[in-house]
């Protein structure tokens, strides 16, 4: 079972975002980066499938030199080798452009499953997995929280509005991971040491322009602290009254 | 500008997202003096078409085929992308629901265009379509424009208002061709949720609990409150990771982004990753026994106190009112 897992590094979830004076980008100088949360579930799923079925896991990351720590993490958490597609200023590149670049590289690998996160927490785009599948013309099951692989098929389940769906498709395919799929492992010191010997293939690429332009970046309208209605159950009547008469939401 | 709207239906019912998208589409089409076309895909769904006429959709295309009774991503994507190629609209609107999350990228790739997901505002400026979309988990908002046609956009559910505008409808049934290749993914089973409560992303009101709940059985008071309000029940990541609530109930950066009219946070501290999921709620109420809890910094109304006293008092108060 050969598995490709697509992993991005993103600003750590605690990070405060500072928009630069150009009005279209953010100040990355003070930011701590981390593996995109949903990609950790994808990586763990890849590692578990390999442990069960054998084969190889290739991690692929597109980004600038910041991604090195994320690549090392992949190699310590189950990836056998890694590809770093080196592209500057690609953080907010549009999804089609990123998916095309990833697909162009993945085409050269013989894969059974491509695992992605369902969404990254910087572009918040939720598109790349589906795009890669369509570009490579293979089926895709998205937002999966359970996977079982047999001979030539994958069965996976996911939650949609009001229901749980169980879907099946043939290999090769793309799966995108939802939180809850598994519990990502912490690498042991031994895993970290072993990872140092693994190969990272670096490849400089140029990204296309894409069809979307960011005109400006703004802060969301601030949510200000409202009023403390009161303390304890005595405040409830007043709260309900405010919700009915002031907010008009009840 | 000619607008094409994918009107989402599931189980024979049009979703709220369909009315939202048609309302947005109608207002852009009116403003730019263009045509609005709505597309319904399913099996025996002709009867739904007229419904959309109440919201300004005069041209409705129905792709009706027995094999499309359930949402099969690859087949729907084939059908919708060939309709788009045929109609050649300037703008295509999808919902950012689980169906739209599957459909939009696949359709965009077939058309070879870049698409913008989870938009919270769509407007026309100097004859161009401009979208606002939250990025960095809602810590910034990007304003974007498109250089490719059509501009493919998905809309955050529960964010756009639905406007009635009755028009007479012109309903066209389409001949569709499907091949076995369009059914790469098959649906083995659909298990409907046992709960009759609305889905988090579609609910007008959400009652959510965090670590302060202290255990799974304690959520019964939130369920009781939710049922009185017709609300959904949500949870913080701590409550989900403790096994008190299922993953699908999680609100926040690694859970659901929700946009209800009212979000009632009980025993939730208000971590930045939780706030990421509720910043587009219209009103936030916080019930927490710690005056310093960060949730009070974003809540419109707060009660400082023990939720096990406050929530039952709310239930009592609501039950008393006829
Ligand atoms: C990458 C990443 C992603 C994350 N994604 C999410 C996410 O999607 N969603 C999410 O929620 N979190 C997320 N988190 C976790 C987040 O950082 C917090 O740990 C979490 O939100 C805390 O949950 P909580 O508010 O329920 O618990 P706590 O922070 O422990 O807060 C419990 C609150 O309950 C109050 N309380 C206790 N007892 C009572 C009582 N009897 N009556 C009233 N109040 C009481 C306390 O005063 C306290 O404020 C993420 C973290 C990371 C690192
Ligand atoms: N720059 C990137 N490098 C590697 N994988 C990526 C990159 N961007 C997106 N992905 C993958 O695609 C998934 C969905 O991303 P997105 O559509 O941008 O939300 C992510 O969870 C990753 O698995």
């Amino acid at each position: 079972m050969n598995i490709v897992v697509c992993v991005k590094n993103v600003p750590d979830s605690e990070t405060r975002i500072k928009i630069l004076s150009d009005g279209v980008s953010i100040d990355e100088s003070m930011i701590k980066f981390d593996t995109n949360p949903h990609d950790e579930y994808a990586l763990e799923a890849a590692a578990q499938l390999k442990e069960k079925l054998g084969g190889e896991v290739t991690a692929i990351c597109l980004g600038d030199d910041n991604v090195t720590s994320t690549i090392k993490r992949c190699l310590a958490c189950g990836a056998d080798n890694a590809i770093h597609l080196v592209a500057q200023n690609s953080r907010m590149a549009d999804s089609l452009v990123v998916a095309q670049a990833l697909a162009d590289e993945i085409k050269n690998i013989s894969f059974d499953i491509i695992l992605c996160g369902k969404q990254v927490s910087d572009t918040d785009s939720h598109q790349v997995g589906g795009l890669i599948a369509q570009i490579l013309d293979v089926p895709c099951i998205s937002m999966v929280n359970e996977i079982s692989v047999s001979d030539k098929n994958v069965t996976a389940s996911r939650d949609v509005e009001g229901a749980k769906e169980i879907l099946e498709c043939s290999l090769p395919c793309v799966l995108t991971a939802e939180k809850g799929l598994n519990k990502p492992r912490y690498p042991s010191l031994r895993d970290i040491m072993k990872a140092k010997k693994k190969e990272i293939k670096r490849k400089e690429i140029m990204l296309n322009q894409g069809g979307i332009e960011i005109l400006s970046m703004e802060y969301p309208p601030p949510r200000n602290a409202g009023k403390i209605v009161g303390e304890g159950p005595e405040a409830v009547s007043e709260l309900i009254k405010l919700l009915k008469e002031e907010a008009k939401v009840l | 500008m000619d607008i094409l709207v994918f009107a989402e239906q599931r189980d024979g019912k049009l979703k709220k997202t369909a009315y939202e998208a048609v309302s947005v589409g109608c207002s852009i089409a009116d403003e730019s003096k263009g045509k609005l076309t709505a597309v319904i895909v399913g099996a025996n769904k002709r009867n739904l078409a007229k419904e959309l006429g109440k919201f300004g959709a005069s041209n409705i295309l129905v792709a009706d085929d027995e094999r499309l009774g359930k949402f099969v991503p690859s087949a729907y994507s084939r059908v919708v992308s060939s309709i788009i190629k045929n109609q050649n609209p300037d703008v295509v609107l999808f919902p950012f629901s689980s169906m739209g999350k599957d459909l939009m990228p696949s359709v965009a790739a077939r058309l070879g265009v870049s698409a913008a997901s989870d938009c919270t505002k769509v407007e026309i400026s100097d004859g161009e379509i401009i979208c606002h979309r939250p990025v960095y988990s809602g810590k910034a908002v990007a304003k974007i424009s498109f250089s490719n046609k059509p501009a493919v956009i998905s809309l955050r559910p529960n964010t756009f208002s639905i406007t009635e505008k009755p028009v007479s409808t012109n309903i066209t049934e389409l001949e569709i061709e499907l091949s076995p290749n369009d059914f790469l993914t098959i649906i083995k089973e659909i298990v409907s949720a046992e709960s009759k409560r609305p889905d988090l992303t579609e609910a007008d009101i959400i009652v959510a609990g965090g670590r302060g709940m202290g255990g799974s059985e304690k959520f019964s008071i939130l369920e009781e409150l939710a049922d009185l309000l017709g609300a959904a029940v949500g949870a913080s990541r701590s409550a989900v990771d403790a096994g008190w609530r299922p993953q699908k109930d999680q609100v926040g950066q690694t859970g659901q982004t929700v946009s209800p009219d009212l979000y009632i946070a009980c025993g939730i501290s208000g971590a930045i990753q939780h706030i990421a999921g509720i910043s587009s709620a219209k009103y936030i109420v916080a019930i927490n026994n710690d005056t310093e809890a960060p949730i009070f910094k974003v809540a419109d109304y707060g009660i400082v106190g023990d939720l096990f006293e406050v929530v039952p008092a709310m239930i009592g108060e609501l039950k008393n009112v006829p």
Side-chain angles (χ1 to χ4, degrees), chain B residues 39-52:
Chain B
V39 175
I40 297 176
V41 181
N44 299 314
K45 291 299 162 296
R46 302 168 191 89
N47 57 325
L48 296 179
K50 275 218 153 55
E51 276 293 300
L52 292 178

Side-chain angles (χ1 to χ4, degrees), chain B residues 151-169:
Chain B
V152 177
I153 298 163
S154 68
L155 307 175
R156 178 172 290 189
N158 247 359
T159 310
F160 292 88
S161 50
I162 297 171
T163 319
E164 286 205 31
K165 187 191 170 214
V167 289
S168 61
T169 50

Side-chain angles (χ1 to χ4, degrees), chain A:
Chain A
M1 187 72 35
N2 288 334
I3 301 171
V4 175
V5 48
C6 301
V7 180
K8 188 177 184 182
N9 82 336
V10 294
D12 175 273
S13 67
E14 299 280 347
T15 305
R16 307 259 159 204
I17 295 299
K18 189 169 163 252
I19 297 167
L20 287 173
S21 56
D22 67 359
V24 293
S25 55
I26 63 154
D27 181 359
E28 293 205 349
S29 63
M30 302 295 280
I31 288 182
K32 195 177 134 228
F33 289 93
D34 201 354
T35 309
N36 177 47
H38 283 96
D39 299 352
E40 295 192 7
Y41 304 107
L43 178 64
E44 179 60 31
Q48 289 184 11
L49 284 171
K50 183 187 89 171
E51 281 159 7
K52 215 161 128 194
L53 304 162
E56 249 192 16
V57 174
T58 303
I60 173 163
C61 304
L62 184 158
D64 57 23
D65 282 323
N66 257 320
V67 309
T68 315
S69 57
T70 288
I71 294 178
K72 287 193 173 139
R73 186 193 172 95
C74 293
L75 291 172
C77 290
D80 298 288
N81 49 66
I83 302 170
H84 178 189
L85 296 178
V86 187
Q88 307 305 327
N89 302 322
S90 58
R91 180 156 307 284
M92 282 291 151
D94 88 47
S95 305
L96 182 65
V97 171
V98 171
Q100 188 69 57
L102 291 169
D104 284 345
E105 187 61 32
I106 295 170
K107 256 192 332 229
N108 308 322
I109 307 170
S110 106
F111 66 89
D112 300 293
I113 299 178
I114 301 171
L115 270 157
C116 288
K118 70 162 186 182
Q119 184 168 22
V120 296
S121 61
D122 49 12
T123 65
D124 290 334
S125 150
H126 209 302
Q127 290 195 51
V128 168
L131 288 167
I132 292 176
Q134 193 58 54
I135 293 167
L136 297 175
D137 203 14
V138 299
C140 175
I141 307 180
S142 62
M143 302 182 285
V144 304
N145 54 26
E146 239 178 276
I147 304 174
S148 83
V149 180
S150 71
D151 256 3
K152 294 200 148 36
N153 289 322
V154 174
T155 307
S157 73
R158 61 181 195 164
D159 289 319
V160 300
E161 297 84 359
K164 176 187 165 131
E165 289 182 347
I166 300 168
L167 303 171
E168 187 182 275
C169 70
S170 56
L171 298 173
C173 70
V174 175
L175 302 174
T176 78
E178 172 64 291
K179 175 175 174 281
L181 175 60
N182 49 45
K183 281 210 163 59
R185 67 193 64 187
Y186 289 100
S188 67
L189 197 60
R190 201 168 143 257
D191 292 332
I192 295 171
M193 297 311 288
K194 266 188 9 206
K196 293 202 165 132
K197 297 201 192 81
K198 293 181 183 170
E199 186 200 0
I200 302 175
K201 186 170 131 194
R202 260 178 75 95
K203 195 166 164 184
E204 307 268 345
I205 58 165
M206 283 290 288
L207 291 180
N208 297 332
Q209 188 64 54
I212 286 179
E213 190 191 348
I214 298 182
L215 304 173
S216 68
M217 199 91 93
E218 285 162 21
Y219 296 107
R223 275 207 95 102
N224 296 321
K227 54 181 137 188
I228 298 290
V229 180
E231 282 186 27
E234 291 73 43
V236 164
S237 297
E238 177 65 9
L239 172 68
I240 303 277
K241 189 166 160 237
L242 287 167
L243 292 175
K244 282 191 171 148
E245 290 166 15
E246 194 176 83
K248 299 192 170 63
V249 287
L250 286 189

Side-chain angles (χ1 to χ4, degrees), chain A residues 13 37, chain B residues 210-212 236-238 250-255 267-271 273-274 287-290 293 305-308:
Chain A
S13 67
Chain B
R211 200 197 301 275
S236 73
R237 176 167 178 163
S238 298
Q250 187 188 315
V251 173
Q253 190 197 311
T254 45
I268 293 176
S269 62
Q273 301 92 347
H274 189 82
I287 300 166
N288 197 303
N289 58 13
D290 174 8
D306 184 349
L307 74 93
F308 295 105

